[in-house]
Amino acid sequence: DAKTTQPTSMDCAEGRAANLPCNHSTISGNEYVYWYRQIHSQGPQYIIHGLKNNETNEMASLIITEDRKSSTLILPHATLRDTAVYYCIVRVDGINAGNMLTFGGGTRLMVKP
Amino acid sequence: DAGVTQSPTHLIKTRGQQVTLRCSPKSGHDTVSWYQQALGQGPQFIFQYYEEEERQRGNFPDRFSGHQFPNYSSELNVNALLLGDSALYLCASSLLDRNYGYTFGSGTRLTVV
């Protein structure tokens, strides 16, 4: 699986958009970008994933650059409850993909009032 | 719809003892994975079970073993506990051929003294 690089920590004002970058310059053509987050004292929570097109769901938007070497997770209106560690994971999908998620250090997002 | 249920939530054991942690997957999921998360680090994959068999294993010694039952629930066993085994143990359930939508439990906090 391709390696990812994320900033260690970020701050965001409540109500503003939080933009979390992820670099995955060695990504291969069949690898997806996944985002999970972990709120304190809870297990990781799936947020969104994508291959090459931008994706949006009720939680967030995922913007993937055209060369797929980086991506940005966008929380459009951050709330205090979005304070968490956000993990960017790159891997293939499907039954032959292998089974583990490889978590790096993630980005600790602090949403401030 | 219940998510992933783990028990117990907290556990204190003495070095050299054995421990069993339990996990009930989300309804409809057939695959269970176990992760170890040391303080301040991302989760590390231990192993995954499907159809009562271990499909893949991470870089963990044989002291770590598991089991999956016909109802898809799972157990993680750790023998000869070391102080370094102190961590949050997370269970994640999923469908075998989907990497997105892993559902994690809140974990079992194991302290070895």
Side-chain angles (χ1 to χ4, degrees):
Chain A
D1 295 342
K3 181 179 177 179
T4 62
T5 304
Q6 299 178 253
T8 303
S9 64
M10 294 182 63
D11 290 344
C12 177
E14 187 178 20
R16 304 296 294 270
N19 296 284
L20 293 92
C22 179
N23 182 287
H24 32 79
S25 57
T26 60
I27 193 171
S28 55
N30 62 345
E31 288 184 311
Y32 286 73
V33 180
Y34 296 83
W35 283 84
Y36 281 76
R37 74 179 182 183
Q38 188 172 21
I39 296 170
H40 183 62
S41 298
Q42 297 182 24
Q45 175 190 27
Y46 165 79
I47 301 173
I48 197 168
H49 77 289
L51 183 62
K52 53 184 176 182
N53 297 320
N54 297 338
E55 301 289 344
T56 295
N57 63 19
E58 65 278 5
M59 290 183 67
S61 294
L62 174 60
I63 307 298
I64 303 173
T65 58
E66 191 169 347
D67 64 7
R68 303 208 325 121
K69 293 184 177 182
S70 66
S71 60
T72 301
L73 178 74
I74 301 173
L75 308 178
H77 306 286
T79 71
L80 299 179
R81 287 174 295 181
D82 292 321
T83 293
V85 178
Y86 287 77
Y87 296 99
C88 171
I89 299 169
V90 174
R91 58 174 290 103
V92 297
D93 196 7
I95 195 169
N96 296 316
N99 309 306
M100 62 181 178
L101 296 174
T102 302
F103 291 85
T107 296
R108 186 172 299 276
L109 176 69
M110 179 73 72
V111 180
K112 298 183 175 181
Chain B
D1 179 25
V4 176
T5 304
Q6 292 188 245
S7 63
T9 55
H10 296 83
L11 200 54
I12 299 175
K13 289 288 190 178
T14 304
R15 272 182 303 173
Q17 284 188 317
Q18 179 265 344
V19 69
T20 297
L21 310 181
R22 295 176 176 82
C23 172
S24 294
K26 180 179 179 179
S27 177
H29 284 180
D30 57 11
T31 304
V32 173
S33 305
W34 287 91
Y35 289 77
Q36 180 195 65
Q37 186 173 25
L39 200 60
Q41 298 183 20
Q44 300 298 307
F45 175 77
I46 302 174
F47 43 54
Q48 185 182 78
Y49 277 84
Y50 172 72
E51 289 190 338
E52 303 179 49
E53 291 197 359
E54 184 182 293
R55 292 193 77 242
Q56 189 176 5
R57 187 180 186 90
N59 188 26
F60 279 81
D62 292 344
R63 297 187 298 110
F64 290 76
S65 63
H67 189 76
Q68 186 180 34
F69 299 94
N71 67 353
Y72 307 117
S73 67
S74 178
E75 290 181 349
L76 165 65
N77 301 293
V78 187
N79 294 323
L81 284 167
L82 304 174
L83 295 180
D85 295 331
S86 296
L88 180 68
Y89 288 85
L90 294 161
C91 172
S93 72
S94 61
L95 290 170
L96 179 64
D97 60 349
R98 289 290 181 266
N99 288 323
Y100 63 88
Y102 276 69
T103 301
F104 283 81
S106 294
T108 294
R109 172 72 62 187
L110 173 65
T111 303
V112 182
V113 298

